[in-house]
Amino acid sequence: MSTAAERRAELGSFLRARRAGLDPTAVGLPPAGPRRRGGLRREEVATLSGVSATWYTWLEQGRDIQPSRQVLDALARCLRLTGTEHAYVLSLAGYTPLPSAAEPSDQEAPGHVRRLLDALAGFPAYAIAPDWTITGWNAAYAALYPNVAGVAPADRNLLWLVFTDPYVRDLLPDWETTSRRFLAEFRAEAGPRLGDLARSPVIQRLLRASAPFRDAWQDHRIEGFASRQRVFHHPAQGVLRYEHHRLAPADHPDLHVVIYTPAAP
């Protein structure tokens, strides 16, 4: 059996298992009565997803058909798939993964991520959400950038702070270059979500509040993240050199953990 056939068979088995395990009342149907088993019928899934019962039956049987992404999205909604399950279905059908959804700006990093940050004692580290809201940090980062603890939650966004906080501007000797690079990385990561993030409050506020941001936004520069050396002019500690790294927790791939490790002069 070919690899493609194996993927089709797995997709069919997966959909069948999720259909059998779904309570009809979860999709607005009457409860399963004494004459039927739990789960949804194929005909019900087909109707709720906008496809024919025959075509959906073929899909569960692993036949050589190519479902569109829109149909798979509809099936994911009908079967109440989680984000991970939805991405799995798309991958079996040969589609690229789903873009990460933007998290609410006031969300805190999960507890285990905050404990990881604290464990990185001596290494400045913080976590950012997809819209670059800073959702957690450790004591070493607060020592490097003391304002992070006192800034209003609505302003605790890396882009906002880089473009509006005079402390950050003084902290970065290469502010003009670094600020534009941050924005280029933000745009590259946003990808399909850029339209949503461009309408987010922090971006709209920056367009009104910062002329350098407006100029950089119009450049449409795109640049992927790369670990690199960073230099800071700290008002108390003098010149600090770090290597800039970024990781993503496997269970929260939309969350980035940024770590600064000491670099040789």
Side-chain angles (χ1 to χ4, degrees), residues 124 126 134 137-151 155-158 160-162 164-169 171 232 234-235 237 240 260:
Y126 60 93
I134 300 175
W137 61 91
N138 64 6
Y141 184 72
L144 177 66
Y145 176 54
N147 294 355
V148 70
V151 71
D155 294 341
R156 197 176 288 129
N157 179 282
L158 187 58
W160 175 262
L161 297 171
V162 165
T164 65
D165 189 340
Y167 183 98
V168 175
R169 190 159 190 154
L171 190 66
F232 300 93
H234 194 274
Q237 302 178 50
L240 301 174
Y260 295 142

Side-chain angles (χ1 to χ4, degrees), residues 1 24 47 60 85 96 108 110 121 161 166-167 192-193 200 244 253 255:
M1 185 165 54
T47 299
E60 281 198 359
E85 291 170 336
T96 56
E108 291 187 356
L161 297 171
Y167 183 98
R193 296 181 291 107
S200 68
H244 185 182
L255 194 69

Side-chain angles (χ1 to χ4, degrees), residues 32 82 121 144 166 187 198 213 227-229 249 254 256:
T82 66
L144 177 66
R187 295 188 81 124
F213 180 86
S227 293
R228 59 192 184 274
Q229 187 171 118
D254 55 334
H256 286 150

Side-chain angles (χ1 to χ4, degrees), residues 103-111 113-114 117 125-138 141 148 153 156-158 161 252 254-258:
E103 299 292 342
S105 295
D106 60 354
Q107 184 182 23
E108 291 187 356
V113 173
R114 297 198 302 273
L117 296 174
Y126 60 93
I128 54 174
D131 67 350
W132 282 30
T133 293
I134 300 175
T135 60
W137 61 91
N138 64 6
Y141 184 72
V148 70
R156 197 176 288 129
N157 179 282
L158 187 58
L161 297 171
H252 286 275
D254 55 334
L255 194 69
H256 286 150
V257 174
V258 179

Side-chain angles (χ1 to χ4, degrees), residues 60-149:
E60 281 198 359
Q61 291 174 344
R63 296 204 188 185
D64 190 5
I65 57 177
Q66 181 58 50
S68 70
R69 186 163 190 152
Q70 290 76 14
V71 166
L72 294 175
D73 291 344
L75 288 171
R77 290 190 295 270
C78 171
L79 296 174
R80 301 301 192 265
L81 300 186
T82 66
T84 301
E85 291 170 336
H86 190 178
Y88 181 63
V89 165
L90 290 175
S91 69
L92 289 175
Y95 293 104
T96 56
L98 289 166
S100 299
E103 299 292 342
S105 295
D106 60 354
Q107 184 182 23
E108 291 187 356
H112 66 283
V113 173
R114 297 198 302 273
R115 290 189 291 274
L116 171 64
L117 296 174
D118 290 338
L120 296 168
F123 299 152
Y126 60 93
I128 54 174
D131 67 350
W132 282 30
T133 293
I134 300 175
T135 60
W137 61 91
N138 64 6
Y141 184 72
L144 177 66
Y145 176 54
N147 294 355
V148 70

